[in-house]
């Protein structure tokens, strides 16, 4: 939402603060919502006012001089094909979180509309961390294609610590999808946009909690891959969970992970 109008930014900032949600973007929103800044290589600098800084390299990952701002979280964005090099680098440099980007590239506006989400980024990140015996050493945020509370619960089951939404929030704020872009019109007041955005976030949270209850658990963060089943072979292979009616997930791709191909 870095390129939308100040009115939309104000409405979103109010809704996030109202629901206790955070924002990921290049610049802070109005209000008190927690902010994780996207620091895009060659385009902007880390802002000390942010709660953390997620480094994004649009041209593809390569090692860089990672400097932590005192007292702030430090993160790294990575796509599926970058994981084999990005994850060891992040672990070695003491990064706190990884933003797993399932889109063609988070640097472009509305990147979720550019292609189908690459859910293998979640599967491969977990497999690499387990191979390195470092699964609990870094937090995982997932971005790309999440639309509902059910999606969020499934991502938490697979190992994510949080899901980042984009297009679904834009639609709640009154946006209309035009090709690979989203356009907003002046047919809603700010109060209506605040209410719609807050209602969406509350609905996502409630829906995710229902998913946990369906498995007999009281906390959505207790969901595990064992709580999931895929209903198609491509889905089972992409996310690494068993097909319905079987107990074991499909074997890893040749070479250990798709990122290594």
């Amino acid at each position: 939402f870095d390129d939308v109008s100040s009115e939309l930014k104000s409405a979103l900032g109010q809704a996030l603060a109202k629901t206790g949600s955070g924002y990921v973007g290049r610049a802070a929103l109005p209000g008190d919502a927690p902010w994780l800044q996207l620091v895009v290589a060659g385009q902007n600098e880390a802002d000390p006012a942010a709660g953390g800084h997620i480094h994004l390299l649009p041209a593809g990952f390569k090692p860089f001089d990672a400097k932590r701002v005192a007292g702030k979280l430090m993160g790294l964005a990575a796509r599926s094909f970058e994981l084999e090099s990005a994850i060891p680098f992040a672990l070695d440099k003491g990064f706190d979180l990884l933003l797993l980007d399932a889109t063609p590239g988070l640097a472009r506006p509305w990147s979720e509309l550019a292609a189908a989400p690459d859910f293998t980024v979640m599967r491969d990140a977990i497999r690499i961390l387990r191979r390195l015996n470092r699964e609990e050493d870094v937090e995982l945020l997932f971005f790309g294609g999440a639309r509902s509370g059910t999606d969020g619960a499934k991502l938490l089951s697979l190992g994510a610590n949080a899901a980042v939404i984009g297009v679904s929030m834009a639609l709640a704020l009154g946006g209309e999808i035009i090709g690979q872009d989203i356009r907003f019109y002046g047919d809603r007041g700010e109060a209506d946009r605040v209410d719609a955005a807050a209602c969406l976030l509350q609905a996502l949270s409630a829906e995710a909690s229902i998913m946990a209850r369906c498995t007999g658990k009281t906390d959505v963060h207790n969901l595990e891959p064992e709580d999931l089943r895929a209903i198609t072979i491509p889905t089972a292979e992409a996310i690494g969970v068993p097909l319905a009616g079987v107990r074991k997930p499909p074997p890893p791709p040749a070479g250990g992970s798709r990122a290594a191909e």
Side-chain angles (χ1 to χ4, degrees):
F1 293 88
D2 292 313
D3 299 322
V4 303
S5 69
S6 58
E7 178 188 353
L8 287 166
K9 290 180 180 179
S10 176
L12 179 56
Q14 292 177 61
L16 293 175
K18 182 178 179 180
T19 58
S21 303
Y23 179 65
V24 178
R26 300 185 194 188
L29 296 175
D32 300 322
W35 171 40
L36 291 175
Q37 183 190 20
L38 284 176
V39 180
V40 185
Q43 297 185 20
N44 63 336
E45 300 292 333
D47 187 334
H53 306 96
I54 300 176
H55 295 272
L56 178 65
L57 289 77
F61 173 79
K62 58 182 180 180
F64 62 98
D65 184 15
K67 294 182 180 179
R68 180 188 296 273
V69 177
K72 307 295 182 178
L73 297 172
M74 186 167 66
L76 178 65
R79 290 163 286 181
S80 182
F81 64 91
E82 300 170 307
L83 295 176
E84 285 287 356
S85 53
I87 289 180
F89 173 82
L91 294 172
D92 182 60
K93 299 298 183 181
F95 278 69
D96 303 293
L97 59 92
L98 289 170
L99 175 56
L100 303 177
D101 185 2
T103 77
L106 183 55
R108 61 183 292 171
W110 310 117
S111 59
E112 289 176 282
L113 299 177
D118 179 12
F119 291 110
T120 64
V121 69
M122 186 78 246
R123 176 201 70 188
D124 291 346
I126 294 295
R127 286 177 174 169
I128 293 170
L129 288 168
R130 286 178 178 170
R131 189 181 73 217
L132 298 173
N133 198 27
R134 301 288 298 275
E135 188 175 356
E136 302 296 330
D137 290 355
V138 64
E139 301 283 303
L140 300 177
L141 280 64
F142 181 94
F143 173 74
R147 299 283 190 272
S148 66
T150 300
D151 292 341
K154 291 175 182 177
L155 290 166
L156 295 180
S157 301
L158 293 171
N161 297 98
V164 182
I165 61 171
V167 168
S168 56
M169 177 57 74
L171 298 178
L173 287 167
E176 179 181 350
I177 297 175
I178 307 293
Q180 295 184 7
D181 193 17
I182 296 182
R183 297 178 186 174
F184 297 89
Y185 305 95
D187 55 350
R188 296 190 187 184
E190 183 174 285
D192 290 335
R193 296 188 197 273
V194 173
D195 184 58
C199 285
L200 172 65
L201 293 168
Q202 291 163 351
L204 297 184
S205 178
E207 186 180 353
S209 68
I210 291 172
M211 290 289 288
R213 294 191 191 100
C214 288
T215 66
K217 297 178 178 178
T218 58
D219 190 329
V220 70
H221 290 281
N222 291 334
L223 288 169
E224 300 173 311
E226 290 75 15
D227 296 316
L228 298 176
R229 287 295 184 272
I231 59 174
T232 67
I233 292 176
T235 301
E237 292 176 345
I239 63 177
V241 301
L243 281 164
V246 301
R247 296 186 178 183
K248 294 183 179 180
S257 74
R258 184 180 176 210
E261 292 177 0

